[in-house]
Amino acid sequence: MELISGQNLALTASQLTIKVTYQKNGSFGSSDIDLSAFLLTKSEKVRGDWDFIFYNQPQSADNSVGMIGSDGFQVSLNDVHPDIEKIAFIMVIDGADDISRLQSLCLTIQDQASFRVPLTERSEKALILGQLYRHSGVWKFRASGQGYNGGLLPLAQAYGVDAVENEPAPAQSPAASPSVSLEKKLEVKAPHLVSLVKSIRVSLEKHNLTQVKARVAFVLDASGSMTQQFKRGNVQAVLDRIAALAVQFDDDGSMEVWGFAERFKQYPDVSLDNLQGYIENIRQTPKSGRFEILGGLGGVNNEPPVMDAVIETFKGSKEPVFVVFITDGGISKAKAIKDAIRVSADYPIFWKFVGLGGHNYGILEELDNFTDRLIDNTNFFAIDDFNKMSDDDLYDLLLTEFNDWLKLAKEKGILS
């Protein structure tokens, strides 16, 4: 089985042979490539330096983990001490080189799985290749690829090891692999969304967005025709998926939210702390009409005013802004919408318009032909039936053209 970063695998045997293979490119110098393993408790710390397995200490105290030459490990899961919850496998480049000078890098669990570590646009000197971990009494393996720029020292210190404290490499902050850091955040605050990590990771890699940081905003059509989308839970489901993406793109993991119909309102920012039940919570405000979904907004759609509010909020942003705009159509104010898009094209704002189970999307479907603006800062796609769309397809469509816009925005000086 071929794994990707962040993917988990239930193991079918207790005796494991793990091998690490790699190919250097022609620019790789005289650096050494060393493997090591850390036996970690629930707190993700070693119990002592004896839980650090490397060339000078090739066997764990309980003989559950041992090195096989210089390129692998033998693991007996039945012999791992009960205090140990995880075993992390590490590759370190000791010298002037880094992983950008490798052509390939692969970890293989004999007869079970392999993981080819993504190497594109990376320059770390130490990597967590993967982890064995206990889950509900069963051992699993998680493919990782998390990188540390400072080499072995900061990584070992993070795990509580003192044995390498006098090495000369400077301690630096970890450069976390997107899928790993995202999964950890979701596991703690939104475990029901952890299954999205794989789809997000694949789409980020496909669109060359793994290292991009951006602010994320969510604009929601709350006109009366959206009633069934709210009732079916599709609006909350879309928000869940955008929120998971926001955690990846934005360090604080929060995003601004607007609802609109005839009028608009900005609601409390969404984060993993308040995501569950968010849509139902904002629907609790008193309604003044039978077609009103969010109190005070009216029942018909009017897009330009909320677009103007979004532009005013983000026009001074130093980071790119990814705006997801959900609507079921009935678009009629083409000129005012084009005016708003034309203005926003001068600012670091990218609009992703998503049609949700509707029709008559009007100008939104024609934006690729709208040239009267500094750069193309929009993209549109429609979802006929949200329940039939896979997460893989959804994230792929959400991220389409975002990187193209980023490049244009930098060329035009909109982004530095």
Side-chain angles (χ1 to χ4, degrees), residues 181-198:
S181 57
L182 175 60
E183 184 167 20
K184 286 182 177 179
K185 292 175 182 177
L186 295 181
E187 282 178 344
V188 173
K189 294 188 175 182
H192 64 293
L193 301 183
V194 170
S195 62
L196 300 175
V197 173
K198 176 183 175 182

Side-chain angles (χ1 to χ4, degrees), residues 1-240:
M1 180 178 179
E2 185 80 21
L3 304 177
I4 65 170
S5 297
Q7 189 172 359
N8 304 323
L9 171 72
L11 299 169
T12 58
S14 61
Q15 298 291 325
L16 306 178
T17 299
I18 298 175
K19 289 283 188 178
V20 178
T21 57
Y22 52 83
Q23 285 186 315
K24 304 173 182 177
N25 65 27
S27 64
F28 197 98
S30 58
S31 302
D32 294 325
I33 296 179
D34 298 321
L35 301 181
S36 56
F38 295 84
L39 281 65
L40 306 172
T41 63
K42 188 175 183 179
S43 64
E44 295 204 353
K45 301 287 186 180
V46 296
R47 297 166 298 176
D49 291 349
W50 61 87
D51 283 339
F52 173 35
I53 310 305
F54 65 117
Y55 56 89
N56 276 341
Q57 187 170 268
Q59 196 78 26
S60 64
D62 57 10
N63 294 318
S64 62
V65 181
M67 297 194 72
I68 306 172
S70 61
D71 64 349
F73 301 88
Q74 194 76 39
V75 181
S76 176
L77 295 175
N78 291 338
D79 294 328
V80 177
H81 193 279
D83 289 344
I84 299 302
E85 293 287 332
K86 293 181 181 180
I87 304 171
F89 298 96
I90 313 300
M91 187 207 75
V92 175
I93 298 179
D94 183 15
D97 302 292
D98 57 52
I99 65 171
S100 66
R101 298 184 180 183
L102 294 180
Q103 287 185 334
S104 64
L105 175 61
C106 182
L107 180 148
T108 301
I109 303 177
Q110 187 175 342
D111 299 328
Q112 295 200 56
S114 62
F115 168 50
R116 297 187 181 278
V117 180
L119 300 176
T120 305
E121 298 182 357
R122 300 185 65 176
S123 59
E124 298 98 328
K125 297 174 73 66
L127 290 176
I128 302 174
L129 301 173
Q131 293 183 335
L132 298 171
Y133 67 100
R134 299 183 198 259
H135 180 73
S136 300
V138 175
W139 280 99
K140 291 187 172 185
F141 176 80
R142 178 181 294 122
S144 180
Q146 180 179 356
Y148 279 75
N149 289 317
L152 180 60
L153 178 60
L155 194 154
Q157 289 177 332
Y159 286 150
V161 173
D162 296 323
V164 294
E165 64 181 357
N166 293 322
E167 290 200 5
Q172 297 182 19
S173 300
S177 166
S179 66
V180 175
S181 57
L182 175 60
E183 184 167 20
K184 286 182 177 179
K185 292 175 182 177
L186 295 181
E187 282 178 344
V188 173
K189 294 188 175 182
H192 64 293
L193 301 183
V194 170
S195 62
L196 300 175
V197 173
K198 176 183 175 182
S199 297
I200 293 173
R201 174 68 181 186
V202 169
S203 293
L204 288 170
E205 291 181 348
K206 176 179 178 180
H207 295 283
N208 296 316
L209 294 167
T210 56
Q211 303 301 319
V212 169
K213 293 299 180 185
R215 298 176 69 178
V216 181
F218 188 75
V219 183
L220 172 62
D221 183 350
S223 60
S225 58
M226 284 283 291
T227 299
Q228 291 304 313
Q229 299 297 334
F230 277 82
K231 286 185 176 180
R232 293 169 186 164
N234 290 344
V235 175
Q236 179 69 50
V238 173
L239 179 63
D240 286 347

Side-chain angles (χ1 to χ4, degrees), residues 201-382:
R201 174 68 181 186
V202 169
S203 293
L204 288 170
E205 291 181 348
K206 176 179 178 180
H207 295 283
N208 296 316
L209 294 167
T210 56
Q211 303 301 319
V212 169
K213 293 299 180 185
R215 298 176 69 178
V216 181
F218 188 75
V219 183
L220 172 62
D221 183 350
S223 60
S225 58
M226 284 283 291
T227 299
Q228 291 304 313
Q229 299 297 334
F230 277 82
K231 286 185 176 180
R232 293 169 186 164
N234 290 344
V235 175
Q236 179 69 50
V238 173
L239 179 63
D240 286 347
R241 283 149 181 79
I242 305 304
L245 189 62
V247 173
Q248 166 59 42
F249 275 149
D250 196 339
D251 288 338
D252 67 10
S254 66
M255 62 180 177
E256 287 87 343
V257 176
W258 284 264
F260 77 94
E262 183 178 356
R263 296 170 291 278
F264 71 88
K265 178 181 178 180
Q266 185 171 2
Y267 292 91
D269 292 358
V270 167
S271 70
L272 295 183
D273 294 318
N274 66 352
L275 176 61
Q276 193 160 2
Y278 182 92
I279 295 298
E280 191 59 33
N281 288 335
I282 66 173
R283 290 191 67 189
Q284 298 308 307
T285 52
K287 317 295 189 302
S288 59
R290 61 178 296 189
F291 297 112
E292 197 169 71
I293 297 176
L294 298 179
L297 302 191
V300 298
N301 55 308
N302 180 21
E303 298 80 13
V306 72
M307 294 178 69
D308 291 341
V310 171
I311 295 167
E312 185 64 27
T313 299
F314 293 117
K315 66 181 183 181
S317 176
K318 301 300 183 183
E319 294 180 309
V321 182
F322 185 80
V323 181
V324 180
F325 193 109
I326 305 294
T327 178
D328 70 339
I331 307 297
S332 60
K333 297 177 172 60
K335 182 180 183 304
I337 290 173
K338 287 196 292 185
D339 287 343
I341 290 171
R342 183 187 299 108
V343 171
S344 68
D346 293 336
Y347 301 119
I349 301 171
F350 178 83
W351 302 87
K352 177 65 67 166
F353 293 100
V354 181
L356 186 60
H359 57 86
N360 185 22
Y361 295 115
I363 185 60
L364 302 185
E365 296 185 275
E366 303 167 11
L367 290 175
D368 281 344
N369 299 321
F370 178 42
T371 58
D372 186 20
R373 49 182 163 168
L374 181 61
I375 60 173
D376 182 351
N377 62 334
T378 60
N379 183 247
F380 168 83
F381 70 93

